[in-house]
Amino acid sequence: MKPDKKQIPIHYTLICLMAVGSILVCSTQASAQAERIWLTHQSNDPGRIVINWETAAPGDSVVYYGIASEEEHRLAKNENVTLHHVEIPLVRKDCVYQYRMETKGKVSPTYSFKGYPTGELRVAVLGDWGWAKNNDLSAIVHDDVHLLITAGDNVPSLHQAGCEGLKAFSALIDKQPALFRSTPFMPILGNHDKEAHPRGLKPPAEPVYDVSAAAYREFFALPDDEWKWRFEVPDFGVCFLALDLEHMSDFGTTWQTCHAFDAQSEQFVWYRRMMEEVRTPFVFTIMNEKQSTVKGLTIDLWHEYFRKGSALITGFGYFGERAELDGMLPYFNTSLNGEGDAYKDPQSKFFVSADNYLLLIFKQGDDKMTVQMKNLRGEVMDTRIIKKRRLPTPLNY
């Protein structure tokens, strides 16, 4: 059981602050209307992206976007909110998109993000962001990733003084403002992302966790049910499946944190269908629970379908690890806090007590991809080559 537990390079900052024409406004005014900005996907593929921002006062949501030197487009939502989500289409690849937001007549500076590539796709997977002691992610910036995915526990809790509820996720964005406004972010759930009240030493009378993850779902615009989601990058033949599995042994108590996971549960039925229907050569399942706990509590129910994928990734423990389940399924644990207790997998092949993240590298049309486990100095500690999977037999409906 997991215990309740430098600067961005100048060239990167300049890209993110690029302005178009005379629309740039002073940074103090922008700060007054757009307190923080982050990018997500709420569609199942990268054909659209969501511009998210928070304002101190409510107002309508307007986004101006386009590619430098080309026509600028405008999308508006007539609403009166402080939490803004505007989805825009992405019709071009291998380019830089620029965007700015407007709320109540106040226009932000122009920011930018990369369109998805056609040659090489780089994805970073990070665990336990809420417990990271080192806020220097310049190694990930240097990797120039196209997508950030987490393995859960993005925040310490939802009840910390001054960071209650939605404010906990606002504080996360404030840790890396330039990174979040320039790189699509796809978090998954951990138990701390739902911890509405202190856990205590024994289960209390009332539930500690918000199993529905209301604050998380309100703050982030993600695909499907948001507490579970599917995201594919078709050009590179990869599908990511996010599950809500964590602290499974507490299920049925007032410490319960995850959705049901039995054979008839909504979550399992959905995952089984995904693993039977998804046709991409690579499928990565991401969760926040220890794989052996899942195996023991469900009598191999989930593992039958885990094995149909390319790899299993979790942020359960505060360490880095690669195991080889049954000699065929790679299993990774990744954590930005690598200084915790060691819960070594029985089939572990690589283990390190160091802050770490995973870099997934895909080359279009290749029959294999690479997973690197890197420390926060950017050094590669472990490498695993994964070949494309054998596709399941299509179902007959």
Side-chain angles (χ1 to χ4, degrees):
M1 182 182 299
K2 182 182 293 184
D4 284 337
K5 5 190 196 178
K6 296 169 176 166
Q7 284 281 357
I8 299 297
I10 190 167
H11 70 276
Y12 182 86
T13 304
L14 289 174
I15 289 174
C16 292
L17 296 176
M18 210 182 305
V20 176
S22 61
I23 64 173
L24 186 64
V25 296
C26 72
S27 59
T28 54
Q29 182 186 19
S31 176
Q33 69 90 20
E35 296 185 332
R36 58 195 54 86
I37 307 159
W38 62 103
L39 308 176
T40 60
H41 291 288
Q42 66 179 14
S43 302
N44 296 114
D45 61 62
R48 305 181 71 82
I49 197 169
V50 181
I51 312 296
N52 309 273
W53 72 99
E54 278 191 295
T55 53
D60 294 340
S61 309
V62 182
V63 169
Y64 302 91
Y65 66 96
I67 300 168
S69 77
E70 296 188 6
E71 179 185 1
E72 184 180 68
H73 304 278
R74 179 181 183 272
L75 267 177
K77 295 173 70 174
N78 296 322
E79 51 189 357
N80 194 41
V81 297
T82 58
L83 185 56
H84 307 261
H85 309 288
V86 178
E87 187 178 48
I88 63 173
L90 302 180
V91 297
R92 293 268 295 276
K93 298 168 185 174
D94 292 321
C95 65
V96 174
Y97 281 88
Q98 297 177 329
Y99 69 96
R100 55 196 173 103
M101 304 86 64
E102 180 181 351
T103 308
K104 299 188 75 172
K106 294 182 179 179
V107 183
S108 76
T110 298
Y111 301 107
S112 66
F113 62 87
K114 297 185 298 294
Y116 277 82
T118 57
E120 181 179 279
L121 174 71
R122 296 177 299 280
V123 179
V125 184
L126 306 79
D128 305 314
W129 211 327
W131 300 96
K133 298 177 181 177
N134 185 351
N135 199 41
D136 181 1
L137 299 187
S138 55
I140 295 175
V141 174
H142 184 265
D143 285 332
D144 195 25
V145 298
H146 303 93
L147 180 65
L148 283 170
I149 298 178
T150 73
D153 286 344
N154 306 284
V155 299
S157 74
L158 303 181
H159 57 77
Q160 185 177 347
C163 290
E164 300 89 350
L166 294 177
K167 293 179 182 178
F169 300 112
S170 298
L172 171 66
I173 302 304
D174 290 343
K175 289 182 178 180
Q176 297 287 338
L179 186 59
F180 282 119
R181 67 181 177 235
S182 63
T183 310
F185 180 53
M186 303 284 286
I188 79 157
L189 282 163
N191 57 297
H192 292 286
D193 301 308
K194 309 175 188 178
E195 189 179 299
H197 308 283
R199 181 178 171 90
L201 298 178
K202 62 180 181 179
E206 300 298 327
V208 169
Y209 300 93
D210 175 16
V211 175
S212 71
Y216 165 95
R217 291 185 294 108
E218 182 179 354
F219 191 86
F220 297 108
L222 298 169
D224 304 316
D225 293 322
E226 298 183 291
W227 58 267
K228 60 176 177 59
W229 50 258
R230 171 180 63 88
F231 184 72
E232 296 185 19
V233 187
D235 285 352
F236 295 89
V238 59
C239 174
F240 298 99
L241 296 173
L243 300 177
D244 180 34
L245 296 177
E246 68 279 326
H247 276 226
M248 292 169 63
S249 60
D250 290 328
F251 193 84
T253 74
T254 54
W255 276 348
Q256 178 180 333
T257 176
C258 69
H259 284 75
F261 47 80
D262 60 273
Q264 288 74 44
S265 66
E266 176 187 0
Q267 180 171 204
F268 177 75
V269 170
W270 173 82
Y271 182 70
R272 181 182 61 193
R273 179 167 58 85
M274 290 297 99
M275 295 306 293
E276 291 172 341
E277 294 180 356
V278 168
R279 312 301 297 171
T280 58
F282 302 101
V283 175
F284 287 81
T285 301
I286 311 175
M287 63 180 185
N288 190 245
E289 182 59 279
K290 189 177 183 181
Q291 72 83 17
S292 57
T293 299
V294 180
K295 187 179 182 71
L297 290 178
T298 66
I299 318 176
D300 217 24
L301 175 70
W302 285 81
H303 279 65
E304 177 183 351
Y305 294 92
F306 288 162
R307 296 186 191 101
K308 296 179 185 294
S310 304
L312 183 61
I313 299 175
T314 182
F316 166 80
Y318 297 148
F319 49 79
E321 183 177 38
R322 172 176 56 86
E324 301 288 337
L325 305 185
D326 307 319
M328 54 184 290
L329 179 67
Y331 164 57
F332 302 90
N333 185 91
T334 183
S335 177
L336 288 177
N337 182 351
E339 300 179 354
D341 294 336
Y343 301 98
K344 213 168 185 179
D345 192 274
Q347 301 180 65
S348 180
K349 300 299 182 183
F350 173 81
F351 188 96
V352 63
S353 291
D355 304 345
N356 66 86
Y357 66 98
L358 299 178
L359 179 64
L360 281 54
I361 304 170
F362 304 85
K363 296 183 184 297
Q364 189 170 19
D366 207 339
D367 64 354
K368 59 184 179 300
M369 59 79 60
T370 303
V371 179
Q372 296 178 341
M373 180 168 287
K374 306 182 75 173
N375 61 30
L376 294 191
R377 295 186 298 275
E379 299 164 339
V380 178
M381 300 183 293
D382 182 63
T383 300
R384 176 63 154 85
I385 305 298
I386 298 177
K387 295 182 179 180
K388 68 179 182 181
R389 69 193 182 113
R390 181 180 298 175
L391 293 175
T393 303
L395 297 176
N396 295 317
Y397 291 109

